[in-house]
Amino acid sequence: MITSEVRESTPLLTDIERQQISVHVDKLNSAALPIDTLSKRELQVARKIMEGLSNKAIAAELFISERTVKFHCANIYRKLKISSRTALIASCFRSIYHPLRLA
């Protein structure tokens, strides 16, 4: 007997989560691309990266291959003008913990 597997879709990012992973570029480079340039799947992969998951774990959760995860990571880095997971996570922390500016 053949059984079919029901897969739950991964929820899309909320606006707050989008803001949390948006990239704040160094003062020298103010031409950052907005997080909105990422596809829905790239946003899902970025969220999983922010959760600290490995490529293998991301692939399993999103029902895609590890190679596809690597492909999405490369696109994320290119679009956001960053070079690593560390840079993505660092930019998230900068956006969350940006010091308050008093006028």
Side-chain angles (χ1 to χ4, degrees):
M1 175 177 248
I2 298 175
T3 60
S4 59
E5 180 180 317
V6 177
R7 297 181 181 179
E8 293 183 22
S9 63
T10 303
L12 298 178
L13 296 176
T14 65
D15 288 337
I16 292 171
E17 289 169 329
R18 281 177 183 253
Q19 290 172 355
Q20 289 175 344
I21 63 173
S22 67
V23 177
H24 290 277
V25 182
D26 296 332
K27 293 177 185 176
L28 297 175
N29 183 11
S30 61
L33 294 174
I35 197 78
D36 293 334
T37 62
L38 300 181
S39 70
K40 289 178 183 178
R41 185 60 100 182
E42 289 166 350
L43 287 169
Q44 291 171 337
V45 170
R47 181 179 184 190
K48 297 299 180 185
I49 290 170
M50 297 303 301
E51 292 174 7
L53 298 180
S54 66
N55 286 348
K56 188 173 187 173
I58 293 170
E61 285 199 18
L62 298 181
F63 302 103
I64 57 178
S65 72
E66 272 188 82
R67 185 177 171 118
T68 302
V69 172
K70 290 177 184 180
F71 175 78
H72 288 309
C73 287
N75 286 339
I76 292 166
Y77 302 157
R78 179 182 49 79
K79 289 180 179 181
L80 299 180
K81 297 182 181 181
I82 58 176
S83 59
S84 66
R85 288 173 183 258
T86 306
L88 179 64
I89 293 167
S91 63
C92 173
F93 278 111
R94 277 196 301 271
S95 67
I96 294 171
Y97 297 109
H98 191 274
L100 297 174
R101 294 181 181 166
L102 300 175

